């Protein structure tokens, strides 16, 4: 029988010692009253205004502000909280334009997930019908649509809903889109905070391709962006498009009070380790769902979403609750996902375990409890996930169940910082030559490129156009570039990865090979090596064969309760890059530091450099880990060719006085162990200020750098060409080191070698050896206490 949430939580804390001990911080986010604002009369077309008046619709302040700016001809980015009604900001202007134009104005709506597209499609149909327009004026144009449906949508629909992956492909057949683009009025991209890193950098060029196409049809459409709250919304919008934007962030939506628990799994002194957060998540899920509180668990992987749902169903076996718990993830058929969303809205489901696929703006009603199992990678994502509950007047609870990861533990130790922290900046890079090359090829295929239009494609466009001409991908006639081949470059240009030589991945079924996917060489070596367990579409496969010569991988389906991770060693070298060539830097004086921090008493300064580096990975072994606990079961050797790529890095020296102090410590490996610990700690906290994963950056600590002849620490973008992450860090090294010192000092583990909550990394190719927390604390303390303001 369902009970009230607030009394239940108080009883749980008072009667369950584990709960009381594990809830290390509790915070109540107070209720926020809604703020309404009128839209001036006469702003909307009369039929739309009649509909608004008839239903008594009241605009939140941000909705009214956004609509006034949009109808005033401005490009806008709306950055407000989850479930704040951002879709109203673009749906009303789109329908208004249709009514004013006599039914010819067109709008392109781009959503990052198919589920979002379907959700908005239903809303748009209802709005069109309400103002007397045919519902058939809107269509969803994606891979699920048949050829006949696509033909109808292109010919008859004035509002087309799609996703960025489809859009990237469809622009290659412009002749099919003439009628639509000739009347293009609005381009809408929803959830633009997801467009960061490699994905965002590619999408920026897709948007620029769209601009060129619109201009070719003599259209200058307005752009409308919607986003979760991020640190740099206007900067992101401008970087994506190269256009001016106005910000709307006066969030007027209301919300009920929300209780937040920071849950830290208990630390077991005898084991000198923390209990698995997967197990604590399981117990919390069963406890809440068992009392019929509608609970959503966000997990970090598809596999864990399946496991959490299975564990709960097993617990409820033989009861009506067993059929009311499900999992939700990308990879399910569209019909099944729609069914799950409908059951969530109707409260038919009491528990659901999901990946971040449910984080974005799908309308699933208001839940009682959200469990965030492991930090989702950014403050932005955390509040998006937390926003899934508390949307009604009822009490709600968010449980942040921390993993042993260093960033999770940093927030457990610093909850006040967490709640005061500004949202991270989204980062894209328009200068990555690998991304630019593929996107320019796509653009030239769509419409020949005048040399003056190279500015659309970033600072390296002219150089890369010359490379494409030399490779005979494109050719130049007069002042224009034309595509030289009969293929479609968009099919070979991934939006989610840096272009590289691909391996084909097959499943062995009954003596025949069935194609599954393609992967880059670096991903093959890290996840598809001999002996690896590969996760694809939430199913586990064992690698049967890796053929380096034929560049293919053969898999076999197999259910296992473990996964594998490849480990590698890294060497790094600063370089200078010119076009396609590069050369090693021979002398430290050839590199001018980005920042020099003077230190008291004339001590050697801390010099922070930023630039190009060449990174070499040598895969040495892989580890087998239990899925449920992340516990390492066994290690196996690996023999693979080295992988090499050029990227961007920030690096800094360990001053001489610090080196000397570490050299005289009792521990003979204090220098190597100390700077190794600093490197790991800094990388784990890197996502505090930049919207990225810790796996998006790599690091190397060197006792005696061959170039500088002194100890150095490098932190680099883990993508060929770089994507702007290290560049963001070059001005924040002191704050990063300060946070790292705090993290290491506060960690409760007793061993000097540390633990995953402070300085140990699950992907360290050296097996986290040598490692010294004590030496790291000494090194950081000496550096930071002597830095001159």
């Amino acid at each position: 029988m369902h009970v009230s949430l607030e009394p239940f939580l108080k009883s749980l804390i008072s009667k369950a010692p584990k709960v009381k001990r594990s809830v290390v911080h509790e915070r109540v986010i107070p209720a926020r009253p809604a703020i309404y604002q009128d839209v001036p009369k006469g702003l909307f077309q009369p039929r739309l205004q009649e509909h608004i008046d008839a239903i008594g619709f009241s605009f939140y302040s941000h909705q009214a502000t956004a609509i006034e700016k949009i109808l005033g001809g401005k490009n806008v980015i709306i950055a407000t909280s989850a479930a704040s009604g951002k879709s109203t900001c673009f749906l009303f202007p789109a329908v208004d334009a249709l009514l004013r134009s006599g039914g010819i104005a067109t709008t392109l709506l781009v959503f990052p997930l198919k589920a979002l597209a379907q959700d908005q499609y239903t809303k748009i149909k209802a709005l069109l019908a309400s103002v007397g327009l045919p519902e058939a004026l809107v269509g969803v144009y994606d891979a699920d649509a048949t050829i006949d449906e696509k033909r109808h949508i292109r010919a008859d629909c004035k509002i087309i809903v799609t996703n960025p992956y489809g859009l990237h492909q469809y622009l290659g057949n412009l002749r099919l889109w003439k009628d639509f683009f000739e009347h293009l009025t609005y381009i809408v991209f929803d959830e633009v905070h997801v467009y960061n890193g490699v994905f965002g950098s590619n999408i920026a060029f897709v948007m620029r391709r769209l601009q060129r196409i619109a201009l070719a049809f003599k259209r200058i459409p307005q752009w409308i962006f919607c986003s979760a709250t991020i640190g740099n919304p206007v900067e992101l919008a401008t970087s994506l498009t190269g256009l001016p934007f106005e910000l709307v962030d006066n969030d007027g939506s209301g919300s009920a009070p929300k209780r937040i628990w920071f849950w830290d799994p208990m630390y077991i002194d005898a084991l000198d380790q923390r209990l698995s957060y997967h197990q604590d998540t399981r117990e919390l899920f069963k406890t809440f769902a068992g009392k019929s509180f509608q609970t959503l668990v966000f997990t970090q992987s598809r596999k864990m979403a399946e496991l959490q749902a299975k564990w709960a169903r097993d617990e409820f076996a033989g009861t009506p609750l067993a059929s009311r718990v499900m999992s939700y993830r990308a990879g399910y058929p569209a019909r099944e996902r729609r069914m799950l969303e409908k059951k969530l809205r109707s409260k038919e489901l009491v528990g659901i375990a999901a990946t971040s696929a449910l984080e974005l703006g799908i309308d699933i009603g208001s839940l009682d409890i959200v469990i965030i199992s492991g930090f989702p990678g950014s403050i932005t994502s955390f509040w998006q996930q937390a926003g899934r509950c508390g949307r009604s007047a009822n009490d709600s609870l968010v449980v942040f169940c921390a993993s042993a990861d260093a960033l999770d533990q940093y927030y457990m130790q610093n909850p006040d910082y967490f709640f005061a922290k500004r949202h991270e900046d989204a980062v894209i890079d328009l200068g990555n030559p690998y991304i630019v090359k593929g996107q320019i090829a796509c653009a030239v295929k769509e419409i020949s490129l005048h040399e003056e239009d190279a500015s659309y494609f970033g600072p390296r466009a002219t150089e890369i156009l010359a490379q494409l001409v030399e490779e005979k991908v494109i050719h130049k006639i007069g002042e224009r570039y034309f595509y030289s081949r009969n293929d479609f470059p968009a099919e070979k240009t991934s939006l989610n990865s840096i272009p590289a030589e691909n391996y084909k991945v097959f499943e062995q079924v009954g003596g025949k090979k069935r194609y599954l996917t393609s992967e880059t060489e670096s991903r093959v070596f890290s996840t598809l090596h001999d002996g690896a367990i590969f996760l694809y579409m939430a199913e586990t496969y064992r690698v049967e064969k890796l053929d380096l010569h034929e560049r293919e991988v053969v898999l076999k389906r197999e259910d296992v309760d473990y996964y594998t991770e490849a480990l590698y060693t890294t060497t790094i070298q600063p370089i200078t890059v010119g076009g396609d060539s590069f050369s090693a830097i021979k002398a430290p004086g050839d590199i001018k530091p980005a920042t020099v921090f003077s230190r008291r008493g004339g001590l050697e300064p801390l010099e922070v450099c930023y630039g190009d580096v060449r990174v070499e990975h040598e895969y040495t072994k892989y580890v087998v880990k239990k899925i449920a606990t992340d516990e390492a079961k066994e290690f196996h050797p690996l023999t693979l060719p080295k992988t090499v790529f050029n990227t961007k890095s920030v690096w800094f020296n360990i001053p001489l006085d610090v080196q000397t102090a570490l050299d005289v410590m009792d521990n003979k490996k204090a220098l190597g162990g100390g700077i190794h610990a600093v490197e790991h700690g800094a990388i784990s906290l890197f996502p505090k200020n930049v919207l990225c994963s810790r796996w998006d950056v790599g690091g190397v600590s060197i006792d005696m750098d061959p170039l500088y002849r002194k100890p150095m620490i490098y932190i680099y973008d883990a993508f060929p060409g770089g994507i702007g992450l290290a560049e963001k860090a070059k001005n924040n090294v002191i704050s990063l080191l300060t946070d790292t010192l705090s993290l290491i000092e506060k960690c409760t583990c007793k061993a000097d070698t540390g633990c995953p909550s402070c300085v140990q990394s699950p992907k360290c190719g050296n097996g986290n050896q040598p490692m010294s927390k004590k030496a790291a604390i000494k090194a950081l303390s000496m550096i930071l206490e002597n830095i001159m303001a």
Side-chain angles (χ1 to χ4, degrees):
M1 185 178 196
H2 185 80
V3 297
S4 297
L5 180 58
E6 191 66 20
F8 174 74
L9 296 179
K10 289 180 179 178
S11 172
L12 196 61
I13 286 184
S14 63
K15 295 180 181 179
K18 180 178 179 180
V19 174
K20 189 172 184 179
R21 183 176 170 186
S22 296
V23 178
V24 297
H25 183 78
E26 183 177 55
R27 180 76 55 109
V28 176
I29 307 298
R32 185 180 66 208
I35 302 171
Y36 297 100
Q37 181 176 318
D38 291 334
V39 173
K41 291 293 183 182
L43 199 61
F44 289 122
Q45 196 275 347
R47 280 162 63 187
L48 179 57
Q49 186 64 59
E50 287 173 11
H51 164 68
I52 292 169
D53 293 340
I55 62 175
F57 189 88
S58 296
F59 291 92
Y60 293 136
S61 55
H62 66 277
Q63 293 173 330
T65 300
I67 287 169
E68 285 189 59
K69 287 180 180 291
I70 293 166
L71 296 185
K74 305 294 185 182
N75 300 321
V76 301
I77 177 165
I78 305 131
T80 55
S81 60
S84 59
K86 289 187 282 287
S87 61
T88 295
C89 301
F90 57 78
L91 293 186
F92 281 8
V95 172
D96 182 82
L98 255 179
L99 290 168
R100 289 182 184 279
S101 66
I104 64 171
T106 61
T107 297
L108 179 67
L109 301 180
V110 185
F111 299 95
L113 296 177
K114 286 183 180 180
L116 286 173
Q118 290 291 336
D119 209 44
Q120 292 298 329
Y121 173 63
T122 302
K123 292 181 182 179
I124 298 167
K125 284 200 302 181
L127 180 56
L128 290 171
S130 298
V131 298
L133 290 171
E135 292 183 7
L137 289 179
V138 61
V140 179
Y141 198 97
D142 60 22
D144 293 335
T146 66
I147 292 175
D148 287 340
E149 286 170 339
K150 287 181 177 177
R151 188 180 297 112
H152 151 69
I153 292 169
R154 290 194 305 268
D156 303 326
C157 290
K158 304 305 178 185
I159 300 176
I160 292 183
V161 183
T162 189
N163 60 74
Y165 301 98
L167 182 63
H168 170 56
Q169 303 288 336
Y170 307 144
L171 295 181
N173 282 306
L174 271 190
R175 60 184 180 80
L176 302 178
W177 292 89
K178 179 177 181 293
D179 292 343
F180 185 81
F181 279 112
E182 280 183 336
H183 301 98
L184 185 59
T185 304
Y186 294 118
I187 298 174
V188 180
F189 275 77
D190 197 14
E191 307 287 0
V192 293
H193 59 279
V194 306
Y195 300 130
N196 67 91
V198 172
F199 185 40
S201 301
N202 272 293
I203 293 300
F205 292 117
V206 173
M207 292 181 182
R208 287 150 196 263
R209 288 157 53 195
L210 261 175
Q211 287 182 56
R212 292 184 64 241
I213 289 165
L215 279 173
F217 288 101
K218 298 180 172 56
R219 300 296 297 175
I220 303 178
Q222 279 177 252
W223 293 73
I224 305 171
F225 285 173
C226 295
S227 171
T229 305
I230 54 174
N232 60 338
V234 174
E235 178 190 356
L236 175 63
T238 301
S239 296
L240 286 169
T241 61
L243 300 171
F245 273 76
E246 294 199 7
L247 173 64
V248 176
D249 62 354
N250 56 326
D251 193 342
S253 62
S255 63
K258 185 173 298 182
R259 186 174 300 276
I260 298 181
W261 283 357
F262 273 28
W263 180 285
D264 206 10
M266 288 192 294
Y267 193 87
I268 308 301
D269 291 333
L271 300 175
D272 198 20
Q273 69 180 37
R274 199 171 299 281
L275 293 177
S276 168
Y277 73 110
H278 296 314
Q279 305 299 325
D280 278 20
T281 298
R282 179 180 68 183
E283 296 306 312
L284 286 165
F285 190 24
K286 292 190 300 185
T287 298
F288 295 138
K291 291 294 183 180
S292 294
F293 293 115
Q294 195 177 37
T295 304
L296 167 59
V297 177
F298 280 108
T299 69
Q300 301 299 302
S301 69
R302 294 178 177 184
K303 187 69 175 180
M304 191 49 61
E306 300 278 13
L307 283 172
Q308 290 291 351
K310 181 180 185 302
W311 289 334
R313 286 198 301 268
D314 289 347
E315 176 73 13
F316 302 141
T319 75
L321 285 177
S323 62
R324 299 181 63 197
V325 175
M326 299 291 289
S327 59
Y328 182 104
R329 55 167 174 77
Y332 284 172
R335 181 180 298 178
E336 191 166 342
R337 292 199 303 272
R338 300 297 88 76
M339 177 269 293
L340 290 171
E341 292 155 18
K342 182 178 179 182
K343 287 186 174 182
L344 265 179
R345 285 191 288 268
S346 67
K347 302 285 186 179
E348 186 177 340
L349 288 181
V350 73
I352 192 158
T355 61
S356 58
L358 271 183
E359 174 185 316
L360 302 179
I362 306 165
D363 183 7
I364 55 171
S366 183
L367 306 165
D368 297 313
I369 296 170
V370 167
I371 302 171
I372 300 174
S373 185
F375 185 62
S378 70
I379 297 290
T380 296
S381 287
F382 178 91
W383 289 114
Q384 280 285 99
Q385 294 182 1
R388 283 319 194 172
C389 66
R391 292 167 58 188
S392 66
N394 298 328
D395 296 329
S396 64
L397 172 70
V398 176
V399 183
F400 170 18
C401 186
S403 74
D405 184 80
L407 187 55
D408 289 43
Q409 291 303 309
Y410 182 89
Y411 288 137
M412 290 292 116
Q413 297 159 11
N414 299 277
D416 289 338
Y417 170 84
F418 180 92
F419 286 100
K421 185 182 184 303
R422 70 186 288 273
H423 292 252
E424 301 91 346
D425 289 348
V427 177
I428 65 170
D429 182 18
L430 300 177
N432 184 295
Y434 304 93
I435 293 175
V436 176
K437 197 170 188 179
Q439 290 293 337
I440 285 183
C442 294
V444 177
K445 171 69 175 180
E446 292 152 4
I447 300 176
S448 64
L449 180 72
H450 193 282
E451 58 186 21
E452 291 181 356
D453 292 340
S455 58
Y456 278 101
F457 297 96
R460 303 188 67 174
T462 301
E463 161 200 335
I464 289 165
L465 280 165
Q467 291 178 22
L468 289 169
V469 170
E470 185 177 344
E471 295 169 10
K472 295 183 170 49
V473 175
I474 63 177
H475 60 276
K476 190 176 184 184
I477 302 175
E479 296 179 336
R480 301 197 73 88
Y481 295 92
F482 297 84
Y483 197 68
S484 302
R485 299 177 177 177
N486 294 321
D487 60 357
F488 285 90
E491 294 176 352
K492 300 181 291 184
T493 304
S494 168
L495 297 182
N496 294 102
S497 64
I498 302 291
E501 289 295 324
N502 283 345
Y503 282 65
K504 292 183 178 179
V505 182
F506 300 91
E507 178 189 7
Q508 189 77 39
V509 182
K512 296 182 178 180
K513 293 192 301 186
R514 180 176 72 92
Y515 174 78
L516 291 180
T517 185
S518 293
E519 298 287 357
T520 62
E521 183 174 75
S522 61
R523 183 156 166 78
V524 166
F525 286 8
S526 62
T527 64
L528 285 158
H529 51 79
D530 287 329
I533 296 298
F534 181 66
L535 187 66
Y536 179 77
M537 297 290 283
E539 304 288 355
T540 49
Y541 295 81
R542 181 185 297 280
V543 174
E544 293 286 296
K545 181 183 179 183
L546 167 59
D547 191 323
L548 299 174
H549 179 70
E550 296 295 331
R551 307 185 77 81
E552 71 175 38
V553 184
V554 179
L555 309 177
K556 186 176 181 181
R557 263 286 291 127
E558 187 172 333
D559 290 318
V560 295
D561 62 355
Y562 63 89
Y563 66 97
T564 56
E565 281 186 356
L567 307 178
Y568 54 81
T569 58
T570 303
T571 57
I572 194 165
Q573 180 181 40
I575 60 174
T576 56
V577 175
D580 266 347
S581 63
F582 70 92
S583 59
I585 290 175
K586 303 295 185 183
D590 295 339
I591 305 173
K592 183 180 179 181
T595 313
V596 177
F597 294 96
S598 299
R599 299 174 68 233
R600 296 183 182 90
L603 295 172
E604 183 184 5
L606 181 74
E607 296 186 346
V608 179
C609 296
Y610 168 77
D612 294 291
V613 293
R614 189 161 179 81
V615 177
E616 182 178 275
H617 290 326
E618 182 175 10
Y619 290 86
T620 57
K621 55 190 168 184
Y622 69 93
V623 58
V624 176
K625 291 186 173 183
K626 292 182 180 178
I627 289 175
T629 65
D630 284 334
E631 177 188 353
K633 294 171 60 177
E634 54 194 33
F635 291 84
H636 298 276
L638 270 181
T639 302
L640 289 169
K642 294 178 180 179
T643 61
V644 181
F645 63 95
N646 297 341
T647 186
K648 300 287 187 180
S649 178
V650 61
W651 64 94
F652 54 90
N653 62 304
I654 303 299
L656 181 60
D657 59 302
V658 179
Q659 178 185 350
T660 301
L662 297 184
D663 280 337
V664 299
M665 287 181 68
D666 293 337
N667 182 356
K668 292 181 180 179
K669 296 182 178 180
L671 175 60
I675 64 173
H676 196 185
V678 170
E679 174 223 325
H680 279 192
I683 287 175
S684 66
L685 295 181
F686 197 91
K688 268 182 77 255
N689 297 306
V690 179
L691 201 59
C692 71
S693 160
R694 66 180 291 181
W695 310 123
D696 291 341
V697 293
V700 185
S701 55
I702 307 173
D703 295 14
M704 187 58 62
D705 185 275
L707 175 63
Y708 288 91
R709 307 306 300 168
K710 63 179 68 174
M712 302 292 293
I713 293 177
Y714 293 78
I715 299 176
Y716 59 87
D717 288 13
F719 302 94
I723 53 170
L725 302 177
E727 184 175 15
K728 276 282 185 180
K730 70 181 181 184
N731 298 320
N732 296 299
V733 166
I734 298 301
S735 61
L736 181 61
L737 296 181
T738 301
D739 291 341
T740 303
L741 176 59
S742 173
L743 169 78
I744 299 173
E745 284 183 325
K746 290 182 179 180
C747 188
T748 56
C749 68
K750 298 178 179 61
D752 190 42
T753 51
C755 69
S757 297
C758 55
V759 297
Q760 290 200 5
S761 169
K763 293 192 176 181
C764 178
N766 295 317
N768 292 295
Q769 294 295 328
M771 194 72 67
S772 173
K773 286 175 56 181
K774 182 179 177 182
I777 291 170
K778 187 173 188 66
L780 289 169
S781 299
M782 290 182 66
I783 291 171
L784 295 170
E785 71 188 9
N786 289 303
I787 292 289
M788 294 175 64

